[in-house]
Amino acid sequence: MFPLLETLVAVYEVGQFTLAADELKVSQSTVSSRIAQLEQMVGAPLFVRNAKSDVTPTQAGRMLYQTAIGIDGLWRDTREQIARVQEAREPLAVSFSHTTAAILLPKALPVMARDMDGFDFAVHVMNSDAILEQASMKAVQLGVVEKPIVNDSVDRVTLCEDRLVLAGEPDGVWMVREHGSGVRYYTDLYFKTAQVVPARTMEVSSNAAIVAALSAGFGQSLISEAAVPVQRELGDEFVRRFYALVPRSGLTHDQRELAETIIAALRG
């Protein structure tokens, strides 16, 4: 039964039999066979097959998905208890976007340090879209992002507000983040709303590098108010929020509990 329910969860969350097969490291025919077995057992179709190999869960599929997550949580909790008996350390991977790493990571680290005897921590810095992808695949147990993104595989929690400002030389080269970055999302919004057509742009995939360049007197950029001392304020539409992303399934009780503790510290 566990392989069948695990397959249901994978198909539900990634939306394709092929991608679910890749995630589970089995053949597509195995995925199809397992879903067919479940459909026969419950007496109802679980997914509607669409174009381009995509599938949409039926009402029965959504109901069984919620049950499967609960069973998965109980199973993982039991495994966790066994691991604790054997004094095993659990992994906890946390990913921060570039701006949130500079502003919020210092708040998270002391919380994580209190549990170093029970966890092996890994902290990564990447752009917001990449974090959503990692959280969806359960490669990270907690993600902290700087734009309002979410999908069916993760829960999103609002943390706090951050004001973006315009900093640097008014006629300087525009330094912009890469596509997928939260700051790039708002930079493109600024160009559109302010009807700015920059004559010269330079893509720099690091907030720290942009801050260093601005401090050295080079260029201009949209940046977090907390990152630079000299700035020009923009409108209220550039007051954004930071968010935490947590996978809906795949976490042990202790992983989820610690993720919630970190989130509470970041919201404080």
Side-chain angles (χ1 to χ4, degrees), residues 17-237:
F17 280 26
T18 302
L19 293 178
D22 291 341
E23 180 177 321
L24 297 172
K25 296 180 174 56
V26 298
S27 66
Q28 184 175 341
S29 62
T30 298
V31 170
S32 298
S33 174
R34 289 176 179 176
I35 296 301
Q37 289 181 62
L38 279 174
E39 289 176 334
Q40 185 176 11
M41 293 169 68
V42 301
L46 300 175
F47 297 96
V48 177
R49 279 69 168 174
N50 304 317
K52 297 182 179 179
S53 302
D54 292 337
V55 296
T56 302
T58 63
Q59 182 179 3
R62 290 191 291 271
M63 293 172 63
L64 190 55
Y65 169 75
Q66 294 298 330
T67 299
I69 289 178
I71 294 172
D72 178 72
L74 289 172
W75 170 243
R76 290 178 181 275
D77 285 350
T78 301
R79 291 176 59 188
E80 174 193 348
Q81 292 171 18
I82 295 172
R84 278 204 299 265
V85 171
Q86 298 177 336
E87 297 183 347
R89 291 156 61 92
E90 288 196 77
L92 191 82
V94 184
S95 288
F96 283 75
S97 67
H98 290 260
T99 301
T100 64
I103 298 172
L104 297 182
L105 180 55
K107 293 184 178 181
L109 290 176
V111 179
M112 295 163 66
R114 293 199 296 265
D115 283 289
M116 292 190 70
D117 290 339
F119 289 89
D120 286 320
F121 291 106
V123 179
H124 308 282
V125 178
M126 58 187 74
N127 71 42
S128 295
D129 283 357
I131 292 174
L132 176 60
E133 180 179 356
Q134 292 285 298
S136 299
M137 300 298 290
K138 307 178 187 66
V140 299
Q141 285 73 51
L142 173 64
V144 183
V145 299
E146 54 195 88
K147 66 177 184 178
I149 51 177
V150 73
N151 63 29
D152 287 341
S153 302
V154 303
D155 289 319
R156 188 181 74 196
V157 179
T158 302
L159 298 176
C160 57
E161 289 188 345
D162 175 61
R163 179 179 291 273
L164 286 171
V165 295
L166 179 57
E169 297 296 326
D171 297 324
V173 174
W174 271 96
M175 292 178 288
V176 299
R177 289 288 309 281
E178 75 283 0
H179 289 287
S181 158
V183 175
R184 179 59 177 267
Y185 171 86
Y186 284 97
T187 300
D188 290 341
L189 175 64
Y190 173 74
F191 288 158
K192 181 178 179 179
T193 57
Q195 298 183 333
V196 171
V197 181
R200 297 178 297 166
T201 62
M202 181 182 299
E203 186 174 292
V204 182
S205 59
S206 165
N207 261 28
I210 290 175
V211 170
L214 292 172
S215 298
F218 176 82
Q220 60 179 322
S221 184
L222 256 67
I223 201 80
S224 172
E225 182 180 42
V228 287
V230 180
Q231 57 208 241
R232 285 161 279 164
E233 288 195 6
L234 304 174
D236 288 341
E237 64 268 35

